[in-house]
Amino acid sequence: MSALQPQPPAKRKEIYKYEAPWTVYSMNWSIRPDKRFRLALGSFVEEYNNKVQIVSLDEETSDFTSKSTFDHPYPTTKIMWIPDTKGVFPDLLATSGDYLRVWRVGDVDTKLECLLNNNKNSDFCAPLTSFDWNEVDPNLLGTSSIDTTCTIWGLETGQVLGRVNVVSGHVKTQLIAHDKEVYDIAFSRAGGGRDMFASVGADGSVRMFDLRHLEHSTIIYEDPQHHPLLRLGWNKQDPNYLATMAMDAMEVIILDVRVPCTPVARLNNHRACVNGIAWAPHSSCHICTAADDHQALIWDIQSMPRAIEDPILAYTAAGEINQIQWSSTQPDWISICYNNCMEILRV
């Protein structure tokens, strides 16, 4: 990463660091154009009571400051700002854990707008492993659960008399997606970007769905040893490509939906298990991976299907990197988390 390369003295810093009061587990960049260096962080505390903190970088002082902290039951398995690039929706943040929660972020505090439980029959709910917020239609969210299902939610942020923008949600569809726990879900930009999504799970498969034809799914890939697949991410520019990783694996697998079941590339320079993948928002051939070996690596995959031997940039953190996010609105910045630290790196 160019955080490592010599820079002319007049330039801004290449790395900014924030230390949270707890281990950081989840993290996401704000997308609103008026909140450039704002991120949400979720804690990992081995108790019921966890925290979410919203921090932003003061570009004058070069320091991150906490803007708001609120309580969250259980650690957030994922945290995500509404993908609203124009600032037309309320300033919303969603978290998954025992339920899907949507929060409204104010200047002073953050309030819970709605709590979405996909189990109508009881107060019991199967924990949510992840979720994704549809970029084309921010009224759609998809959640993945350990009960083998994926649920697509419709969000209403309509005007209500007497109170501005009451946010509520309802189940649009729920489907059994895998034979075992589902660990991640992600909407694809293919076909208009609204109806296609994929999921990965403990059965070791990547499956693709279309909301218009839910009676069948497509298996894009199956792990040969049936190892659980933990994460998936779609290429932000080319919807034919997606990346996934297996539990305890030291490599990231790149798949091409046009050539199911055969990886087009394996990124395997890490020396410990991979924890995160983030595609470049602005380029179809760059992806960043992060692992327990303290490394964040950026790869250029344009030579596929020829083997990709080495990353083009590397950054070594002071701890095992458990989370990586590439800013969609400021593509020259990547954020990583390790221990109780969050760093943003200029690439």
Side-chain angles (χ1 to χ4, degrees), residues 27-42:
M27 169 259 296
N28 190 245
W29 288 88
S30 173
I31 288 169
R32 286 173 79 97
D34 56 336
K35 308 278 190 196
R36 268 173 39 97
F37 287 97
R38 181 176 69 161
L39 297 99
L41 309 175

Side-chain angles (χ1 to χ4, degrees), residues 22 144 182 191 259:
W22 20 254
S144 56
V182 191
V259 193

Side-chain angles (χ1 to χ4, degrees), residues 172-243:
K172 287 181 84 76
T173 189
Q174 186 174 35
L175 60 145
I176 294 173
H178 288 260
D179 306 329
K180 294 181 179 174
E181 296 94 335
V182 191
Y183 289 138
D184 203 3
I185 180 173
F187 286 105
S188 162
R189 290 197 174 183
R194 193 179 177 278
D195 298 294
M196 318 267 284
F197 66 93
S199 60
V200 292
D203 60 10
S205 68
V206 181
R207 302 189 185 204
M208 195 159 163
F209 302 87
D210 187 327
L211 290 174
R212 297 158 297 193
H213 310 288
L214 282 176
E215 60 281 358
H216 58 84
S217 64
T218 308
I219 294 183
I220 300 173
Y221 175 73
E222 286 187 286
D223 184 87
Q225 279 80 43
H226 302 290
H227 290 149
L229 298 177
L230 298 186
R231 292 278 169 268
L232 86 158
W234 288 99
N235 186 305
K236 300 289 187 203
Q237 296 293 327
D238 185 340
N240 289 314
Y241 294 110
L242 75 164

Side-chain angles (χ1 to χ4, degrees), residues 111-131:
K111 292 190 168 65
L112 181 65
E113 282 286 317
C114 59
L115 179 148
L116 304 174
N117 174 11
N118 62 9
N119 190 337
K120 288 285 170 281
N121 309 330
S122 71
D123 294 334
F124 169 79
C125 60
L128 300 177
T129 51
S130 188
F131 72 96

Side-chain angles (χ1 to χ4, degrees), residues 24-266:
V24 182
Y25 184 66
S26 59
M27 169 259 296
N28 190 245
W29 288 88
S30 173
I31 288 169
R32 286 173 79 97
D34 56 336
K35 308 278 190 196
R36 268 173 39 97
F37 287 97
R38 181 176 69 161
L39 297 99
L41 309 175
S43 70
F44 185 82
V45 182
E46 300 229 357
E47 288 152 22
Y48 176 75
N49 292 316
N50 275 258
K51 302 282 185 190
V52 171
Q53 199 166 62
I54 293 162
V55 300
S56 73
L57 179 69
D58 183 327
E59 294 183 64
E60 300 292 307
T61 65
S62 296
D63 288 323
F64 272 104
T65 52
S66 170
K67 295 294 181 193
S68 136
T69 302
F70 57 94
D71 291 326
H72 194 281
Y74 303 108
T76 50
T77 52
K78 188 165 180 181
I79 193 161
M80 201 173 173
W81 296 88
I82 185 168
D84 174 20
T85 49
K86 302 193 173 60
V88 294
F89 285 84
D91 197 4
L92 300 178
L93 180 71
T95 57
S96 54
D98 51 347
Y99 300 101
L100 180 65
R101 290 176 172 82
V102 180
W103 310 81
R104 179 193 299 264
V105 179
D107 291 334
V108 185
D109 58 354
T110 304
K111 292 190 168 65
L112 181 65
E113 282 286 317
C114 59
L115 179 148
L116 304 174
N117 174 11
N118 62 9
N119 190 337
K120 288 285 170 281
N121 309 330
S122 71
D123 294 334
F124 169 79
C125 60
L128 300 177
T129 51
S130 188
F131 72 96
D132 195 24
W133 209 323
N134 192 292
E135 290 179 10
V136 171
D137 181 357
N139 291 305
L140 282 182
L141 295 99
T143 55
S144 56
S145 169
I146 64 166
D147 68 4
T148 76
T149 66
C150 289
T151 305
I152 305 298
W153 295 89
L155 209 61
E156 291 84 36
T157 55
Q159 300 287 338
V160 174
L161 286 174
R163 188 178 163 216
V164 189
N165 291 86
V166 177
V167 178
S168 61
H170 68 279
V171 174
K172 287 181 84 76
T173 189
Q174 186 174 35
L175 60 145
I176 294 173
H178 288 260
D179 306 329
K180 294 181 179 174
E181 296 94 335
V182 191
Y183 289 138
D184 203 3
I185 180 173
F187 286 105
S188 162
R189 290 197 174 183
R194 193 179 177 278
D195 298 294
M196 318 267 284
F197 66 93
S199 60
V200 292
D203 60 10
S205 68
V206 181
R207 302 189 185 204
M208 195 159 163
F209 302 87
D210 187 327
L211 290 174
R212 297 158 297 193
H213 310 288
L214 282 176
E215 60 281 358
H216 58 84
S217 64
T218 308
I219 294 183
I220 300 173
Y221 175 73
E222 286 187 286
D223 184 87
Q225 279 80 43
H226 302 290
H227 290 149
L229 298 177
L230 298 186
R231 292 278 169 268
L232 86 158
W234 288 99
N235 186 305
K236 300 289 187 203
Q237 296 293 327
D238 185 340
N240 289 314
Y241 294 110
L242 75 164
T244 186
M245 60 193 218
M247 187 185 242
D248 299 327
M250 294 192 223
E251 65 175 8
V252 168
I253 293 165
I254 310 288
L255 304 169
D256 183 337
V257 296
R258 298 162 298 188
V259 193
C261 302
T262 313
V264 279
R266 293 176 184 274

